[in-house]
């Protein structure tokens, strides 16, 4: 079972839950509930914003989607290809996400927890920066700005 997955109550499969799940399957980057709601509305799918919030939280609780906090603290969600514990590299500009494994982080987290007597430990790690495409675009814009002066 993926980290964060619960073996608790089984969720009813509703049209709304299927629509949210299908929309997430089509996305490659993290999306906020508001953004997903707009996507569903544009597709003509009738899901209330409150229902979208509940479904996304349920999928996160079940370990079926990753959830993290964007730079402004908003929860964002994505269906991840990797079912094991992993971390993300996130572009601050375009939102591109890359799933990464970080064995050194896992070793450090376990050692640190043990040193302090902690058990049943969980952690998250997100690394923010600019993806190669956004870095190149920024460098090009800076070069054009420099040649205009």
């Amino acid at each position: 079972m993926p980290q964060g997955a619960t073996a608790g109550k089984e969720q009813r499969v509703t049209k709304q839950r299927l629509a949210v799940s299908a929309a997430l399957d089509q996305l490659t980057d993290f999306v906020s509930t508001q953004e997903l709601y707009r996507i569903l509305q544009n597709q003509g799918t009738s899901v209330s914003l409150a229902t979208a919030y509940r479904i996304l939280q349920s999928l996160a609780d079940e370990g079926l989607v990753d959830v993290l906090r964007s730079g402004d603290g908003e929860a964002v969600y994505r269906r991840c290809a990797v079912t094991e514990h992993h971390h993300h590299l996130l572009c601050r500009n375009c939102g591109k996400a890359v799933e990464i494994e970080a064995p050194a982080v896992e070793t450090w987290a376990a050692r640190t927890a043990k040193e302090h007597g902690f058990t049943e430990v969980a952690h998250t790690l997100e690394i923010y920066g600019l993806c190669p495409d956004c870095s190149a675009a920024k460098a090009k814009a800076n070069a054009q700005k420099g040649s205009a002066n």
Side-chain angles (χ1 to χ4, degrees):
M1 186 177 303
Q3 179 183 0
T6 59
K9 80 177 193 187
E10 188 173 313
Q11 294 296 316
R12 272 187 29 222
V13 178
T14 63
K15 286 189 285 189
Q16 293 89 350
R17 186 175 169 95
L18 290 172
V20 167
S21 188
L24 286 170
D25 288 341
Q26 301 303 312
L27 299 170
T28 57
D29 292 327
F30 283 88
V31 64
S32 71
T33 307
Q34 296 271 348
E35 291 167 323
L36 184 64
Y37 173 75
R38 281 191 289 277
I39 290 167
L40 292 167
Q41 295 303 301
N42 290 341
Q43 293 174 347
T45 304
S46 178
V47 176
S48 74
L49 184 57
T51 298
Y53 273 107
R54 280 193 302 274
I55 291 169
L56 286 170
Q57 186 57 57
S58 171
L59 291 171
D61 290 346
E62 295 168 35
L64 298 174
V65 296
D66 273 352
V67 59
L68 49 96
R69 297 282 168 190
S70 66
D72 61 3
E74 182 178 25
V76 290
Y77 303 85
R78 182 177 89 160
R79 173 111 49 217
C80 286
V82 178
T83 57
E84 301 86 42
H85 179 69
H86 59 280
H87 304 284
H88 299 95
L89 287 168
L90 300 160
C91 182
R92 286 189 306 260
N93 187 49
C94 71
K96 177 180 180 173
V98 176
E99 296 173 357
I100 58 170
E101 293 182 23
V105 170
E106 305 309 322
T107 301
W108 172 82
R111 185 182 69 241
T112 302
K114 185 177 180 180
E115 286 172 3
H116 295 277
F118 279 64
T119 62
E120 299 184 34
V121 177
H123 68 272
T124 60
L125 171 69
E126 277 69 54
I127 302 170
Y128 294 89
L130 295 179
C131 71
D133 292 340
C134 290
S135 293
K138 183 176 182 180
K140 182 177 179 181
N142 287 341
Q144 289 174 345
K145 199 183 294 182
S147 67
N149 290 334

